[in-house]
């Protein structure tokens, strides 16, 4: 097994996910809704749902393909690096194309290209966690999820909110950030080459791509029970989170009736608070997990905090609710992002396909952002904006219950 020292791996696990997730969150939650509103304001809710549905399908397929290809790759740069760099380049191109779109079809095409490219970053990069030394996996997971994803989820959104007045330029700048940031991350990690594995692969029976393997690519429930529970838990938790963040711009303008200045200030406030908690948990949660051998309980209980934040917006509907949401959702997401990848690494049913299973699991970071707006759009059309907060609470609770039912991780 490849082992990379934490002094190299940790910076890469912070910069890497921040470089792909930050621009994607900025584009999906702010720039894309703003551009859709400019192109077709009358159908903006339905169009966001359409983009999300198409993105969900493309993300699911491309993520699995990227994971499989990465696991099978042999190169002087290792298994992961070629796909990560290629994905980052084409994501940048997709964002530039999106900035030029003046109608729905070319914007949708550019967005789908971006979804494919993004997942060729995500699936191989999360497998970097498997490079961590055995006694430092909690710390590595905290760096990836707590620090890297906190910067991506919230840090970049603070900056992106300032581009709402010029969101086309935002597409371009944040696309470039993905490519440059990814190059920096892979240069720091310096994944070793694995050409020496070629001989071992050729010696195997040539059954890799037979139909039998395709049909059994996912193990049956009795074998992969805990992995599936972790995956289901992540999907429900992700929908609970992104049902709100995916419509945050419209929540501020259409639900809380804030003007342009108030919307920008509120979005920046929420993301500043969540960024602080995310960074704090990135430093704290992973090392505590390593020291006290506790993993399942904090991951599950973090969803309760997320649910409380959603309820605060439902009941209070004012600036106080915005602050409470920032604190509770920030704490919950900080703990979750710090430890959920480590939890999944513990329950993977086949250690020979780490990138594939980690990649599928991390569809929760892309597919739920696509699925949540579809669910939210349906709920909004039936019961109005206020109902999405109840949906967020319910989904977060179900996600936590799934995590608690994992058996192979005791606590």
């Amino acid at each position: 097994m490849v082992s990379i020292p934490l002094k190299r791996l940790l910076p890469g696990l912070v910069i890497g996910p921040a470089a792909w997730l930050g621009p994607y969150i900025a584009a999906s939650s702010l720039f894309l809704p703003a551009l859709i509103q400019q192109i077709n304001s009358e159908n903006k809710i339905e169009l966001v749902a359409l983009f999300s549905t198409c993105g969900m399908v493309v993300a699911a397929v491309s993520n699995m393909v990227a994971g499989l290809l990465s696991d099978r790759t042999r190169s002087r740069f290792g298994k992961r690096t070629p796909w990560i760099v290629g994905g980052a380049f084409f994501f940048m191109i997709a964002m530039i194309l999106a900035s030029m779109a003046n109608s729905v079809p070319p914007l949708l095409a550019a967005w789908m290209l971006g979804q494919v490219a993004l997942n060729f970053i995500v699936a191989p990069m999360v497998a970097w966690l498997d490079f961590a030394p055995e006694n430092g996996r909690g710390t590595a997971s905290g760096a990836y999820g707590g620090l890297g994803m906190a910067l991506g989820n919230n840090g970049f959104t603070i900056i992106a909110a300032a581009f709402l007045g010029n969101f086309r330029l935002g597409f371009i700048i944040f696309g470039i950030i993905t490519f440059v940031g990814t190059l920096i991350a892979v240069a720091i990690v310096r994944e070793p080459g694995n050409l020496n594995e070629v001989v071992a692969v050729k010696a195997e029976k040539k059954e890799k791509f037979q139909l039998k393997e395709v049909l059994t690519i996912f193990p049956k429930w009795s074998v992969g029970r805990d992995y599936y529970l972790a995956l289901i838990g992540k999907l429900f938790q992700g929908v609970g989170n992104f049902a709100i963040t995916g419509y945050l711009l419209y929540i501020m303008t259409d639900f809380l009736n804030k003007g342009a200045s108030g919307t920008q200030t509120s979005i920046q406030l929420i993301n500043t608070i969540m960024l602080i908690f995310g960074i704090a948990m990135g430093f704290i949660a992973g090392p505590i997990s390593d020291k006290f051998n506790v993993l399942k309980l904090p991951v599950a209980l973090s969803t309760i905090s997320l649910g409380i934040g959603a309820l605060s917006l439902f009941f209070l509907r004012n600036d106080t609710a915005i602050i409470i949401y920032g604190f509770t959702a920030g704490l919950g997401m900080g703990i979750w992002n710090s430890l959920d990848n480590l939890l999944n690494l513990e329950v993977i049913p086949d250690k020979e396909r780490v990138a594939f299973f980690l990649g599928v699991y991390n569809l929760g970071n892309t597919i739920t952002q696509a699925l949540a707006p579809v669910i939210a759009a349906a709920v909004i059309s039936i019961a109005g904006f206020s109902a999405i907060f109840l949906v967020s609470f319910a989904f977060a609770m179900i996600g936590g219950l799934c995590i608690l039912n994992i058996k192979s991780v005791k606590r």
Side-chain angles (χ1 to χ4, degrees):
M1 291 183 62
V2 174
S3 179
I4 295 177
L6 289 181
K7 65 180 181 181
R8 276 172 36 207
L9 189 60
L10 293 183
L13 288 173
V14 174
I15 296 171
W20 69 257
L21 182 59
Y24 175 67
I25 292 289
S28 63
S29 64
L30 296 179
F31 303 152
L32 181 65
L35 183 52
I36 288 175
Q37 183 169 259
Q38 184 185 79
I39 292 173
N40 190 339
S41 61
E42 293 182 358
N43 300 303
K44 62 183 181 182
I45 299 294
E46 293 77 9
L47 284 172
V48 169
L50 170 65
F51 275 65
S52 298
T53 302
C54 295
M56 176 176 59
V57 175
V58 171
V61 175
S62 59
N63 191 285
M64 288 186 288
V65 171
L68 285 170
L69 290 175
S70 176
D71 283 333
R72 299 175 187 275
T73 295
R74 307 292 181 267
S75 81
R76 60 183 293 241
F77 301 105
K79 294 182 177 183
R80 319 303 180 191
T81 299
W83 299 106
I84 292 171
V85 172
F89 175 77
F90 282 101
F91 181 79
M92 176 181 66
I93 297 299
M95 293 301 98
I96 294 173
L97 292 175
S99 73
M100 301 176 181
N102 291 307
S103 61
V104 171
L107 179 59
L108 180 60
W111 193 250
M112 293 306 99
L113 172 61
Q115 289 286 334
V116 174
L118 184 75
N119 283 281
F120 271 85
I121 306 172
V122 176
M125 184 177 287
V126 73
W128 278 355
L129 291 173
D130 202 40
F131 294 155
E134 191 66 33
N135 62 352
R137 291 198 167 194
T139 302
S141 180
Y144 183 94
L147 295 176
M149 296 189 71
L151 289 171
N153 271 313
N154 309 118
F156 280 74
T157 309
I158 297 169
I159 302 171
F163 284 87
L164 284 174
N166 194 355
F167 48 82
R168 289 182 184 271
L169 178 62
F171 274 115
I172 297 172
I173 290 176
F174 280 73
I176 293 172
I177 287 173
T178 292
F179 183 58
V180 174
T182 299
L183 288 180
I184 293 172
V186 298
I188 293 172
V189 172
R190 296 201 312 275
E191 178 187 353
N194 65 333
L195 288 173
N196 61 318
E197 296 180 25
V198 172
V199 175
V201 172
K202 288 182 178 179
E204 295 176 358
K205 295 180 179 180
K206 297 180 180 180
E207 298 177 345
K208 286 186 176 295
F209 292 100
Q210 289 184 357
L211 179 61
K212 180 180 179 181
E213 185 194 17
V214 174
L215 295 176
T216 59
I217 193 169
F218 289 101
K220 57 185 179 180
W221 177 266
S222 61
V223 175
R225 175 189 179 277
D226 285 351
Y227 173 81
Y228 293 133
L229 283 174
L231 178 60
I232 294 169
K234 186 176 183 72
L235 291 174
F236 271 87
Q237 186 271 355
V239 171
N241 177 42
F242 293 121
I244 294 178
T245 59
Y247 279 102
L248 193 58
L249 177 64
Y250 299 158
I251 287 172
M252 295 300 166
T253 58
D254 296 9
F255 179 67
L256 297 178
N257 299 313
K258 291 184 174 292
S261 177
T263 296
Q264 177 178 327
T265 300
S266 297
I267 291 174
Q268 289 176 325
L269 176 61
I270 288 174
N271 284 281
T272 299
I273 295 172
M274 294 185 72
L275 174 62
I276 292 171
F277 273 101
I279 292 174
M281 291 303 103
F283 281 111
I284 296 171
I288 288 179
S289 175
D290 282 336
K291 183 174 182 178
F292 296 101
N293 194 29
V294 60
L295 181 58
K296 179 173 71 175
L297 290 179
V299 172
L301 294 178
S302 68
T303 64
I304 294 176
S305 185
L306 179 64
I308 291 172
L311 289 181
S312 70
L313 288 169
F314 176 78
F315 286 112
L316 299 180
R317 309 184 184 200
N318 55 25
D319 289 341
T320 302
I322 290 174
I323 295 174
I324 293 173
Y325 175 77
F327 274 97
T328 55
L331 177 63
M333 290 304 300
I335 296 172
W336 178 277
N337 287 335
S338 296
L339 298 177
D340 79 309
N341 280 308
L342 177 60
L343 177 65
N344 185 55
L345 197 59
E346 294 295 322
V347 297
I348 284 178
D350 183 355
K351 299 299 182 181
E352 296 298 319
R353 293 188 288 158
V354 171
F356 172 75
F357 283 109
L358 282 177
V360 171
Y361 183 74
N362 271 270
L363 280 173
N365 296 320
T366 51
I367 200 171
T368 53
Q369 291 182 60
L371 182 61
V374 177
I375 296 173
V379 171
I380 291 170
S381 66
I382 296 172
F385 267 103
S386 61
I388 66 173
F389 306 114
L390 298 178
V391 170
S392 174
F393 173 79
F395 271 71
M397 293 303 100
I398 293 172
L401 290 174
C402 289
I403 300 298
L404 285 173
N405 277 282
I406 291 174
K407 294 180 178 179
S408 59
V409 179
K410 299 303 179 184
R411 62 191 182 101

